Structure formats: structure tokens, C-alpha cells
Amino acid sequence: MDFQTERVRLNELINSLETFLLGKFGDKKLICYGASSLWTDINRIVAIDDLVEFFVDGDSSRWGDEYYGLEIKSPEVLRDIDKSEYSVVVLAGAFEEISGILDEMGWEKNVNFFNIYQYIHIDREMSYGPINKFLRFLRTVPPEMMNVPVREDSERIGIVLNAEGLNFGTTYMPYEISLFLILKWRGYNVKLIVDRLHWDGDIELYEGHCAVSDYLRDVVIGKLEKLVLESDILYIDPVGDIMLSLEDEQECERIAEYSVRWSKWYNDWNSRFRSGNLLQNDFAEIFKRNLSYINAFFEKNHFDTINAMTALHKIAGVYYYAGKKRNMRVSSQDGMRGSTLICANGPASYGEDIPRFLEKMWGEIVNKDVIMDRAEQMWETRRGASSKISDMSFGEYIKLRKEKGYENISFQAPETELNRIYDVIIPMNLINDGAALGIVTIFDDIGQWLEQTLDYVIYKLKATVLIREHPSMMLLPSYMAKSELHTSYPEVLKQYKGNKSLRYVKSDEQINLYQYIDKCKVLIPWTSTVGMEAGIMGKNVLIHTNVYYENAAFACRAHTREEYFEKLEKCITGGEFLVGDKQRAYEDALRYFYFTMNRRLKTDFTIVSSFDSPWKFDNFEELLEAEGVNEVVQIVAENVPSVYLIEKQRKRLGEL
């Protein structure tokens, strides 16, 4: 295969998809449900316009009109159509709703009516350029890779590769394979674990996505198999399943629940048109099925540690659970555009490396006073920062944060005279973002936590509450579904309408939260970084989740609901500082704040490769010398806490 043919070609993929669809239609004529403006876009992918006899559309004002030379009719004509001669192709986003209409008329999904709207994703979102560049990159891997001796002190490491990370134009394959090659080149006992299972791609993106992912994966792995030993690549296939325990099934259902929250929030292609309950049931079944195969694989193949992508949901969530169940360390990362969140032990966005570093390594740090001085300066900068965030787009905000540093920007409005003091402050997360997904609480969910807390504080203790939505919600891209409390749990707020004991601050409302924290008696976070800021300010921080700072000296952890309400009452009515030592709490809050604000590793070696964040490296030698690669190796292969290495990197780069 020469240089120009050794690549993925979009036309070949589209041709295979069109052949796949035509095989389903057989010799039947087609009726298109939905005279959509996307009709021409679809025909660039699946050229079926010559097979369509007419359109139907729910808009009665269009009945009788012509659309691309074909008549638009009422959907009612489908009741009397001969189903042995026709199939219906749906070109409308509301596929679930239309499915119900067609089902009632006697049509059968994926037998004589089909969703073609979903295929618009291929033309609009998928990115193949990074894969083709990576195929050229693999040509530069030294032939000596086959014969690198394994270090005796190395743990057995598995790098998990799944090609369904191709959602919305992104692919993790270049990163995962390169990480495997780097570790192998440096003598670690590493295997590439190629996941050939099918996950949620056919549900969330389009039917056939899994097949496209399989094709792309096999092209790349076919090239890789020529560079390493056969024994270096292991495969997880849908064989040898092991019966799941009740705990396994319950965990899959839990992962499915917050995977749906993520999908609905991120507005994944098909999930936006499907009910959450149906999507959750589908996810749970997929996760259970695949966990049984993953269990079978790990029964036969032992690893000390594995590396899986991103936060605690979907594929990564299942692998994280499977690893932890076997006492394997699970490292992960999540990042793009010059920096990455990376964690040696746990989901990247959780920050679990911070308490581990502070508990095991802080005592050995020689410049503690210097770090604490920087932490205080950072806090003062952060508290006093004032930028007109509300006037920015999400992209502008990200750019500003990158240029100035997170501590130099703030969502807080200028200080003003307070018209009311509130006893309890509740800062909301972007509850469907990575840091909040999969968080364990003593309550059943966020809604129950808020409902019971508000009832206890307002009605029993006669106290007051301020709830603050995460202000960055107002900057999110338009395609992301909003998830403020008033939209996701409206029933929680409904009973307090007009009640002056509760103030609810939406994301686009300008206030200075620090002023309210300064006067409050207790702050109750989910996983918010505001919890650390309140700790610095000497406030009670009541914790009911497994957020990474739950055991910090400034945090008051409740392990049961009874304990939670008991401590809440002490804060409000007793005026106690529950953790006792204010100086120790202040110093620990500063430490957590400092390392939380500085936990992004500077590197172009990140997991996302797409049109706007392409694969950066032309050859293997260039990658080995790239900024951040040495730190990634130590974090993944040697279990070194990421924040320790990030601090050393900042010093080496002259940023301190």
C-alpha cells in the first residue's frame, strides 16, 4: 500500500453506508416523512432521491405543494399504503415521536420505516484528517520497537483503546496508541487492550456508526500490528461472557443514569430526540452486556493498572468500575488544545491526585512556605478579579482563561451593599459535567438533596438559603441543553415561589457570591470549587458527597442523612465551627485551592484529535521530545500524583 492509498477515504465509507441502506430497502419504493431543508444534505450521503415517490409532512399548510419536484401529502395517506411495495424514510429530528405515529399505522421500525435523518452526522461532524495524519505518523515508528526489553520493575499496564470515541468528530485512537508505543519504547510492561465491543454509537449518533468505527479502528490496528509483537495487542471481543452479580447490574444502571444526563446536556446527535428513560434503559443493557465480556477478559488477563479515557460515564465508567473491582489502579485524562487534565488514580476531572499528594508527599516538599504564599496571592487575585464574563462567548471565555489563568478571572459582579444575609449558601455545579458525574451522595439524587435540605432549613430551622447556579452555564455553546435547577428539577423550587427565605440566582444573574459567603453560616457544595474558597474564608463547609476534598481539614463530612441534618442544625442554630482548628482548616483549604487551580498539564499530547484540535506530531521522535510527555509517562506508568509533576513543570517553564 503506497503513501497516498494508505489512508481512510470518506467516499468509501459513504459508499458502504449507502449499500447498507439499499440492502434494507430492497426493491421497495420510498416515501419521505418530512420535507426537510436537510434533504439535499442527506442526498450527498445516501443518494436515494430517485427512489422517493412523494413526501409527507405534519405541516398541513404545505399539503399539495411540491418539494424538489415531488408532492407533499398528509401523513394520513400512510394508513392505506401497500407496505409490501413501500418503505418510509424519516427525515425529521423527532424520530421517536414519528415512530409512534407510524407504529400506530402498522408500520414497523427498521423493517419498513427507517431513520435517515441520523446520517447527516457523517457529513457534518466526522473528522478523518487526524486518522490519516496518524497513519503517516505510524510510518515513523522505529523498527526496533519490536525488540525493546521490558523493565523488571514495571507494573503490568493496559491501555484501553475503543474507537467509538469518534463522537462528534473527535477520536482518541492516536493518543491511546501513541501512549502505548511511548511506554513500550521506554521499557514498561504494557499491552494495548483493543475493545472490539459495540457501545452507544448506533443509538446516539446514527445506525452504522459502530460499523464505521470498526472500519477505522481496523485500518489503524492493521498498520500497528506490523510494528509490535503479536502478544503486545490484546482484544476484547463479545465472547466468553460471565454472569453479572447484582452489584454489577446496579452499577451499570447507575452509570447509565448519569450517562444520559451527559448525553442530554451535551445534546448528542440522536439522544436529544429520545426520552431519557428509554435512552437510560438502552444504555444500561449495553453496559451490562459489555461488562460481562470485560469481566471475562480480565479473568484471563491480569493487570496492575489500566488507562481509560475521561470522566466516570459511558465506556470509561464501565472500565473504571471493572478495574476498581479487581483492585487495579485506573488512570485517565481529558483535554485538548495544549493542556490536559490527567490523574494517576481515578477519573481525570475528579482531582483524586490532590488529596493523595497532600497526604503522602506534602511533608517532603522543601518550599512549602513559597507555595503557601503563592496560594494566598492567587486567592486574593481570584477574589478581587472582575471581568465582564457575561458579555463573552464560550470560546472567548476559554481563551481568556487560557491567557490569564483561571485565578485571574471571575464571574463575580463588583461588590455592592447586601440587601439580605443568607444562612446557607448552595453553589451548584454544571451538574452534568465530568466533575459531577458519578458522584456518590448520601441522598438518592440532586433533587432529593435540595428538596430535603430546603425543607429542613426553611421550615424547621426558620433560616434562609441562597442557591447559585454555576454562572458559566450562560456561556455554554448553543447546542448544549441547559440544566439549571429550574429546568431539571422545577418541582424543587415550585413550592417556594414568593418565599423570601429562598433566593434562587440563575446563571445569567449578576451577584458577588463572595460577599454572601462572607456573611453565611454554612456552605453546602456538590463538588464545586467554591467549597475550597469558603474554607479559606473560614466558613463551615458541609459535605455529603465523595468530592475529592471530602476529608480535608476545612470540610465537615456527613456520612448519613441523620448526621448531615444534625451538623446542619449546629451550623445554623449553634453557630459552631464544626472542624475545630481554624488555622489548620485555612491552610488546608489554601493547599487544595492552589493545586486545584493548577492541575492542568501543559502538553500537545492530548486525547482529542479533530478539525479544530488536530493531531500535532509528524513523527515518533518529535512526540518523545514533546512537552508534557515525560510527565504523562510517570503519571500513567509510575502512579506519580499529577499535581506534583505539574508544579515541577511550571517551575521548569519559568512560570513560578
Side-chain angles (χ1 to χ4, degrees), residues 152 478 602:
E152 293 183 0
S478 59
K602 291 186 182 301

CSV table of all heavy atoms in Angstrom, one decimal, residues 152 478 602:
chain,number,residue,atom,x,y,z
A,152,GLU,N,12.3,-4.7,34.7
A,152,GLU,CA,11.8,-5.7,35.7
A,152,GLU,C,10.9,-5.0,36.8
A,152,GLU,O,10.1,-5.7,37.4
A,152,GLU,CB,13.1,-6.3,36.4
A,152,GLU,CG,13.9,-7.2,35.5
A,152,GLU,CD,15.1,-7.8,36.2
A,152,GLU,OE1,15.2,-7.5,37.4
A,152,GLU,OE2,15.8,-8.5,35.6
A,478,SER,N,-24.5,27.0,22.1
A,478,SER,CA,-26.0,26.9,21.9
A,478,SER,C,-26.5,25.5,21.8
A,478,SER,O,-27.6,25.2,22.1
A,478,SER,CB,-26.4,27.7,20.7
A,478,SER,OG,-25.7,27.2,19.5
A,602,LYS,N,0.6,21.1,30.9
A,602,LYS,CA,0.8,21.7,29.6
A,602,LYS,C,1.4,20.7,28.6
A,602,LYS,O,2.5,20.2,28.8
A,602,LYS,CB,1.7,22.9,29.7
A,602,LYS,CG,1.1,24.1,30.5
A,602,LYS,CD,2.1,25.3,30.4
A,602,LYS,CE,1.4,26.4,31.3
A,602,LYS,NZ,0.1,26.9,30.7
